[in-house]
């Protein structure tokens, strides 16, 4: 393991580890960032960095090696805290063996739907849409999120965050009874509809979002 080599990078990135590690590959970035955070005792940021490192393929043994290497730079309290964070992650199912099975986030669909509803149908529309969104997330494994929102100052202006596992999951969603019911029931209520497909800036950040809660 090249932990000792990458500990040199820690000195460079101590003041801003995330910003300065961009020239390294995924695992090397994780080693450098974990080393830096453990060295300065930043336990509040260490948990996310450890989870990200394990998603990048670091094994618990590699992480223990990092802790061992930087231990002479940390106090006993920080060392104990880092070990507790690692233990908690492992108890919650993190391991290098789970990495090959993680979702290919590059195939996911991210969309913002912009909908304007005629004001006279507002309450009726909200009831139907809430039903459709809840049924989609509960019943369809390929629907990651359908989150309806409306503007504070214009409650008939809706924005919906939609995330699907892949294109097949989206096609299956369009054929479900709850979506067909929503579409047919609200046709006369919708004044305008625009579907805006999006690209995420960082694929690596996606798993961390859904692991927080």
């Amino acid at each position: 393991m090249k932990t000792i080599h990458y500990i040199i990078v820690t000195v460079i990135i101590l003041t801003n580890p995330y910003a300065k590690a961009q020239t390294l590959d995924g695992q090397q970035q994780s080693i450098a960032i974990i080393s830096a955070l453990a060295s300065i005792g930043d336990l509040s940021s260490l948990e996310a960095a450890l989870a990200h490192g394990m998603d990048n393929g670091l094994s618990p043994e590699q992480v223990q090696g990092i802790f061992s290497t930087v231990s002479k730079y940390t106090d006993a309290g920080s060392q104990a805290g880092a070990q507790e964070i690692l233990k908690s992650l492992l108890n919650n199912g993190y391991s290098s063996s789970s990495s090959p099975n993680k979702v290919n986030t590059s195939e996911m669909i991210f969309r913002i739907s912009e909908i304007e509803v005629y004001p006279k149908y507002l309450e009726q529309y909200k009831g139907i849409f809430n039903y459709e969104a809840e049924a989609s997330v509960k019943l369809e494994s390929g629907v990651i999120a359908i989150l309806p929102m409306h503007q504070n100052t214009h409650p008939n202006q809706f924005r919906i965050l939609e995330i699907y596992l892949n294109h097949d999951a989206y096609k299956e969603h369009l054929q479900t009874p709850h979506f067909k019911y929503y579409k047919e029931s609200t046709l006369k209520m919708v004044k305008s509809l625009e579907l805006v497909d999006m690209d995420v800036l960082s694929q690596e950040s996606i798993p961390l979002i859904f692991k927080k809660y």
Side-chain angles (χ1 to χ4, degrees):
M1 188 177 67
K2 298 182 179 180
T3 304
I4 295 177
H5 173 74
Y6 293 120
I7 194 64
I8 299 173
V9 181
T10 303
V11 178
I12 302 173
I13 64 174
L14 277 176
T15 57
N16 192 352
Y18 289 99
K20 301 292 182 64
Q22 297 304 311
T23 58
L24 307 178
D25 65 29
Q27 280 201 17
Q28 292 168 347
Q29 285 186 36
S30 294
I31 290 173
I33 291 169
I34 291 169
S35 299
L37 294 174
S39 295
I40 62 178
D42 186 355
L43 300 182
S44 62
S45 301
L46 184 58
E47 181 172 5
L50 284 172
H52 191 190
M54 289 180 165
D55 282 335
N56 280 333
L58 290 182
S59 68
E61 291 75 21
Q62 286 176 298
V63 175
Q64 289 286 7
I66 296 171
F67 289 167
S68 176
T69 301
V70 302
S71 61
K72 57 186 173 183
Y73 302 108
T74 61
D75 58 42
S78 295
Q79 292 178 42
Q83 291 290 347
E84 282 300 312
I85 291 172
L86 176 59
K87 181 180 177 181
S88 175
L89 287 173
L90 294 176
N91 288 340
N92 283 305
Y94 275 91
S95 68
S96 58
S97 62
S98 65
S99 296
N101 298 320
K102 64 182 181 181
V103 171
N104 183 1
T105 54
S106 65
E107 295 183 359
M108 295 172 71
I109 297 175
F110 298 86
R111 175 176 295 154
I112 301 292
S113 297
E114 302 179 354
I115 300 175
E116 182 179 358
V117 174
Y118 291 108
K120 66 178 180 178
Y121 294 119
L122 182 58
E123 294 306 317
Q124 188 178 357
Y125 177 83
K126 287 195 295 185
I128 295 172
F129 196 20
N130 281 334
Y131 159 76
E132 192 276 337
E134 184 176 339
S136 298
V137 175
K138 281 186 175 180
L139 302 177
E140 299 179 62
S141 60
V143 176
I144 308 302
I146 294 183
L147 180 61
M149 300 170 283
H150 62 76
Q151 296 184 23
N152 288 335
T153 54
H154 298 89
N156 67 316
Q157 297 274 357
F158 289 83
R159 300 295 182 269
I160 298 92
L161 171 63
E162 302 178 43
I163 305 176
Y164 303 95
L165 189 62
N166 50 42
H167 283 280
D168 288 339
Y170 177 62
K171 290 178 182 177
E172 292 175 6
H173 169 68
L174 298 181
Q175 300 304 314
T176 59
H178 45 270
F179 176 79
K180 290 182 177 180
Y181 167 73
Y182 159 77
K183 195 68 177 178
E184 294 168 2
S185 300
T186 61
L187 202 56
K188 66 179 181 180
M189 305 177 188
V190 175
K191 181 178 181 180
S192 65
L193 166 66
E194 184 175 359
L195 305 179
V196 183
D197 288 329
M198 310 293 289
D199 288 325
V200 297
L201 295 181
S202 172
Q203 295 287 343
E204 291 77 12
S205 67
I206 298 170
L208 296 179
I209 294 172
F210 295 104
K211 284 169 183 169
K212 292 193 74 173
Y213 297 102

